[in-house]
Amino acid sequence: KTAEQIAFFGGSFTGIDIKKQNEYLSLAQEYIRKGLVKSIRLSTRPDYIDADTVQRLISYGVKNIELGAQSMDEEVLHLSKRGHTSQNVEKAAEIINGSGVILGLQMMTGLPGDTPQKCLYTARRFKELGAKETRIYPTVVLRGTYLEKMLEKGEYTPQSVEDAVEISAKLYRFFTQNGISVLRIGLPDGEDLRKNYIAGAYHPSLGEMVISRD
């Protein structure tokens, strides 16, 4: 039986050394040639995408690119020190859509400066930008991060599980009603996450809680 895809997640794929990218992609491409998988999926930052990069990815069999947009609100992006702007997301989305690759846009709720209204604005912009897929990640504060320092200084109030479920249910409803597939809600459970968790909207069954709320 042919598997659907090989996926490269856990970081910004197009931000690593290009030789290493091509090495990984070549290995994955062999599985496509052998008929063991259909295509490749990867995630990256919106400011790490350009037309040449997308064409190179396509040549290896990439069919889905997910961008870690996180928010389309400039204040949220600035306060969260994302290092990219909403314009970066818009430009990357245009390039990906124009190439025929399926666009995914990932978002986070509860970031610094975020509100439910800003989350819904981000969702509407995802639709306007032509996203076909999304992931909803309520913010979790992890040990050793800048967000932990903001929390210690009283500069950040973490989102509660209940608040995350409430807004995520609204987002889930919006996306599904507009034909956008919600691939995941909440971080996957794991020992590293539990060990480094400080605060925020983490629950091992968050996705089920959201869908049942909807």
Side-chain angles (χ1 to χ4, degrees):
K1 184 179 178 180
T2 303
E4 285 296 320
Q5 292 183 308
I6 290 175
F8 293 106
F9 287 134
S12 299
F13 186 83
T14 56
I16 66 176
D17 180 77
I18 191 167
K19 291 182 180 179
K20 187 62 70 174
Q21 289 181 50
N22 293 340
E23 185 179 322
Y24 291 144
L25 291 167
S26 295
L27 289 170
Q29 190 177 45
E30 282 301 309
Y31 285 85
I32 297 174
R33 287 174 178 163
K34 292 175 182 177
L36 298 174
V37 298
K38 295 179 181 178
S39 62
I40 301 168
R41 166 190 298 270
L42 58 85
S43 66
T44 193
R45 289 174 57 96
D47 50 339
Y48 288 0
I49 282 291
D50 56 41
D52 289 343
T53 296
V54 172
Q55 290 305 313
R56 176 172 55 83
L57 297 174
I58 290 172
S59 72
Y60 284 101
V62 173
K63 298 293 185 184
N64 301 69
I65 297 176
E66 298 183 38
L67 302 176
Q70 316 314 358
S71 176
M72 292 300 291
D73 182 87
E74 292 299 335
E75 181 185 27
V76 173
L77 293 173
H78 173 71
L79 292 174
S80 304
K81 299 190 179 296
R82 284 296 302 168
H84 73 258
T85 65
S86 61
Q87 286 77 22
N88 292 136
V89 180
E90 292 163 0
K91 182 178 179 181
E94 182 179 5
I95 291 170
I96 292 168
N97 283 325
S99 73
V101 171
I102 296 171
L103 172 66
L105 293 175
Q106 303 172 359
M107 69 174 294
M108 296 177 69
T109 68
L111 287 167
D114 200 15
T115 65
Q117 292 73 27
K118 290 180 179 181
C119 287
L120 292 169
Y121 167 75
T122 291
R124 291 193 295 271
R125 289 296 292 131
F126 280 11
K127 177 191 172 186
E128 292 165 359
L129 292 173
K132 298 296 186 291
E133 303 173 327
T134 189
R135 297 176 194 261
I136 304 169
Y137 291 122
T139 301
V140 173
V141 182
L142 298 177
R143 197 179 314 278
T145 62
Y146 182 77
L147 208 55
E148 181 189 15
K149 294 179 180 178
M150 291 183 68
L151 180 65
E152 290 172 349
K153 293 177 182 178
E155 298 173 352
Y156 173 66
T157 302
Q159 189 177 38
S160 69
V161 169
E162 177 58 33
D163 286 346
V165 169
E166 183 176 350
I167 185 59
S168 296
K170 293 178 181 178
L171 294 168
Y172 178 79
R173 191 178 307 117
F174 175 85
F175 286 133
T176 53
Q177 289 176 349
N178 286 280
I180 301 172
S181 299
V182 179
L183 303 179
R184 183 168 190 90
I185 304 169
L187 292 170
D189 190 26
E191 184 180 347
D192 284 345
L193 176 57
R194 292 193 301 269
K195 184 172 64 176
N196 292 294
Y197 171 81
I198 298 291
Y202 166 69
H203 191 285
S205 300
L206 191 69
E208 289 84 350
M209 294 166 69
V210 169
I211 294 170
S212 63
R213 171 73 65 89
D214 180 65

